[in-house]
Amino acid sequence: MLQQIRYGIFIATLICSAFTQIAFAQSSYPNKAIRLVVPFPAGGATDNIARPLQLELLATDKWNVVIDNKPGAGGNIGAEVVAKALPDGYTWLMASVGTHGINLPLYTQGGGKLPFDPIKDFTPITLVAELPNVLILNLDFAKRNNINSVNDLIAYARANPGKVNMASSGNGTSIHMAGELFKSMTKTYMVHLPYRGSPPAITDLMAGNVDIMFDNLPSAINYIKAGRLKALAVTSAKRSPAFPDLPTIAEAAKLPGYEATSWFGIVAPANLPPEILKQTSTTLMKAINSPSVREKYLAMGAEPVGNTPVQFATFIKNEIAKWTKVVKDSGAKVD
C-alpha cells in the first residue's frame, strides 16, 4: 500500500513538473528562433510577402524569424513539413490560396489525396495580404502575333488551339487556376506548363520558352515596369493601384464574374497553445499594420490585411468552398 502511495506521488510530481515546464515555455515564448516555412522559391510572390514581415519582426528584441524556402508540388511539400511539426509556436507556414484553398479540391478530384488537411492540421493565425495576378506575355510572342489586348489573345488562342503555352508557378497555385478559369470562361485551350515557383517560370517566359503567364503581381511588377514583359490585364475584380491604367480581365474581355486573386497568411501546426496563439496573433497584426510593411506591400501591388485567428479560419473555409466550385466548373487537373 505504501509503495502504491509513493508511486502515485511520484507520478503526480512528474505531471506537475511537466505542466510547470509547459507553462514556463509559454510564458517565456519566444525564446529561440522561429522557422517560417515559405513553400515556394525565393523571389516569388510568397517569398516577397514573407520578407518585409520577417524584417519587421527581426527589428524587435524578441522575435527572431528565419525563413526556410521549401518549394515543390504547388506548395504541398512545405505545407506538409509544418503540418507534421510540433505545435510549440516555433514553426510557421506562409500559407497561400494554393495550400489552403485550391489544392484540396484540385488534388482530390481525381481520387488523389493531399498529405495534410488544410483545416484539421493547422492553427490559423492571421491573413497577411491579398493581391491580384497579372496576365503577362513574352514580348516577341505578343509582337509576332499582334497581340495587344486580352481580346487579341482570346482570338489567337481560339484560332490556334494548343499552340499557346501557359506557364505557372506550380499545380494548384492561383497562377495556375487563374489560367484555368480564363480557359474555361473563354472556351480556349492552352497548354499548362507548371514550374517550381514563379522565378524559373518568368525566366523561361522572358526567354520565349513559354508564351503567357498569370503571375502574382509582386513577382512580375519590376519586369513589367522595365519593359521586359507585356502586361494585358489584372485578374482581380478591381483595378490595381500599382497599375491603374491596366484593365481587369472581366472588363477588358467582357467576362463578368472573372476573378482570381491571391492571398497569403500565417498558420502553425494544429493545437497551438492558446497563450502562444494570442501572442503570435497580436505581434503579427501589429507588424502587418506597421508603416514599413504597409509601404512595401502597397509598392508591390499587395493589400495588407491582418485579422484575427477566428476570422482567418472562416476565411480559409470559405476559400476552399469557392475554389472547389471553380475546380469543378473549369475541369482543372494536376498536370
Side-chain angles (χ1 to χ4, degrees):
M1 182 67 178
L2 181 60
Q3 185 176 3
Q4 289 178 335
I5 293 173
R6 287 175 177 172
Y7 180 74
I9 293 173
F10 174 72
I11 294 298
T13 301
L14 286 179
I15 293 173
C16 288
S17 176
F19 276 114
T20 300
Q21 290 177 19
I22 292 171
F24 175 78
Q26 292 182 20
S27 64
S28 62
Y29 173 84
N31 54 30
K32 63 180 181 179
I34 296 170
R35 178 190 186 195
L36 173 54
V37 176
V38 173
F40 292 96
T46 314
D47 187 74
N48 288 340
I49 292 295
R51 298 287 168 175
L53 195 58
Q54 177 205 27
L55 291 176
E56 184 67 20
L57 293 171
L58 286 175
T60 69
D61 295 330
K62 192 174 182 181
W63 297 82
N64 179 20
V65 177
V66 179
I67 289 179
D68 182 8
N69 294 93
K70 286 198 168 298
N76 290 343
I77 291 176
E80 182 181 9
V81 168
V82 177
K84 294 179 178 179
L86 290 174
D88 57 4
Y90 292 101
T91 306
W92 300 348
L93 173 72
M94 181 58 81
S96 69
V97 63
T99 62
H100 283 69
I102 297 170
N103 287 359
L104 181 62
L106 183 66
Y107 279 78
T108 58
Q109 70 164 349
K113 185 178 181 181
L114 281 183
F116 58 86
D117 187 308
I119 295 177
K120 294 180 181 179
D121 291 340
F122 297 91
T123 300
I125 299 176
T126 190
L127 178 62
V128 175
E130 296 179 286
L131 54 89
N133 293 343
V134 58
L135 172 54
I136 47 179
L137 278 64
N138 169 269
L139 296 177
D140 290 338
F141 169 77
K143 184 177 181 180
R144 187 170 64 248
N145 298 296
N146 197 30
I147 298 175
N148 296 299
S149 69
V150 178
N151 283 328
D152 288 342
L153 175 62
I154 293 171
Y156 179 82
R158 285 175 177 168
N160 299 275
K163 290 188 177 181
V164 179
N165 292 324
M166 180 185 77
S168 83
S169 56
N171 285 304
T173 61
S174 69
I175 297 171
H176 172 204
M177 292 309 301
E180 293 295 340
L181 185 60
F182 182 83
K183 288 160 57 178
S184 175
M185 294 183 71
T186 58
K187 294 179 172 52
T188 55
Y189 172 62
M190 296 181 285
V191 179
H192 173 224
L193 299 176
Y195 285 74
R196 287 173 62 89
S198 284
I202 285 187
T203 297
D204 266 12
L205 180 61
M206 290 189 292
N209 296 325
V210 288
D211 305 317
I212 75 165
M213 186 175 176
F214 292 79
D215 196 26
N216 297 141
L217 189 52
S219 55
I221 191 168
N222 290 332
Y223 299 109
I224 297 170
K225 289 182 175 179
R228 300 181 66 185
L229 292 169
K230 186 179 185 67
L232 296 184
V234 292
T235 65
S236 48
K238 298 179 181 179
R239 294 192 180 200
S240 169
F243 289 102
D245 295 330
L246 205 59
T248 67
I249 286 179
E251 64 177 302
K254 294 182 173 57
L255 292 173
Y258 181 93
E259 182 183 5
T261 54
S262 295
W263 57 263
F264 307 91
I266 300 290
V267 300
N271 302 314
L272 191 67
E275 182 58 34
I276 290 180
L277 175 59
K278 182 179 178 180
Q279 289 184 62
T280 305
S281 172
T282 301
T283 299
L284 284 172
M285 284 203 294
K286 182 179 178 181
I288 292 165
N289 288 291
S290 68
S292 174
V293 172
R294 287 186 63 84
E295 180 181 350
K296 290 173 183 175
Y297 283 174
L298 293 172
M300 66 175 76
E303 171 118 13
V305 183
N307 60 7
T308 68
V310 172
Q311 290 171 330
F312 190 28
T314 301
F315 179 87
I316 290 172
K317 290 178 181 178
N318 291 339
E319 283 291 290
I320 291 174
K322 167 188 169 182
W323 287 106
T324 296
K325 184 177 186 305
V326 171
V327 167
K328 182 180 179 181
D329 291 348
S330 68
K333 59 183 180 181
V334 175
D335 294 302

